[in-house]
Amino acid sequence: MNFKSILAKPFAQLIHNKTKKNMLLAVEHQDAILNNLLRTGAQTQFGKDHYLKEVNDYQSFTQSVPLRDYEQLYRRD
């Protein structure tokens, strides 16, 4: 076994363990990011129009903010 092989296996195991840990925490990380975006967005006019202060999860977000394309957002009916 050459020198690169000896170093590569522990390094690969370290990367694998880190990736596995991050996979298990992915949903928690996404929830934290969503909550941060909702807190920030709630202070905007768009957030006030869509009651983002009252939104606390993805499902309530999808109910509060309808799916629209750029033209529908741009017109501000």
Side-chain angles (χ1 to χ4, degrees):
M1 199 181 295
N2 65 23
F3 186 67
K4 285 184 181 179
S5 302
I6 293 171
L7 293 177
K9 286 188 179 188
F11 184 70
Q13 186 64 40
L14 180 72
I15 297 298
H16 172 74
N17 290 341
K18 186 175 180 180
T19 302
K20 190 174 179 180
K21 179 182 174 187
N22 285 333
M23 285 172 38
L24 295 173
L25 298 174
V27 173
E28 292 175 35
H29 290 165
Q30 290 176 3
D31 285 340
I33 291 169
L34 176 62
N35 288 330
N36 185 24
L37 290 170
L38 289 172
R39 270 194 314 275
T40 304
Q43 300 168 16
T44 66
Q45 187 59 48
F46 182 87
K48 292 173 185 172
D49 293 345
H50 293 87
Y51 307 101
L52 291 185
K53 252 186 197 176
E54 299 169 15
V55 172
N56 54 13
D57 60 6
Y58 178 73
Q59 186 175 13
S60 58
F61 174 78
T62 59
Q63 292 171 352
S64 295
V65 182
L67 188 61
R68 294 177 279 201
D69 62 17
Y70 177 78
E71 291 299 322
Q72 292 168 321
L73 284 172
Y74 181 75
R75 279 188 250 141
R76 295 197 99 211
D77 295 334

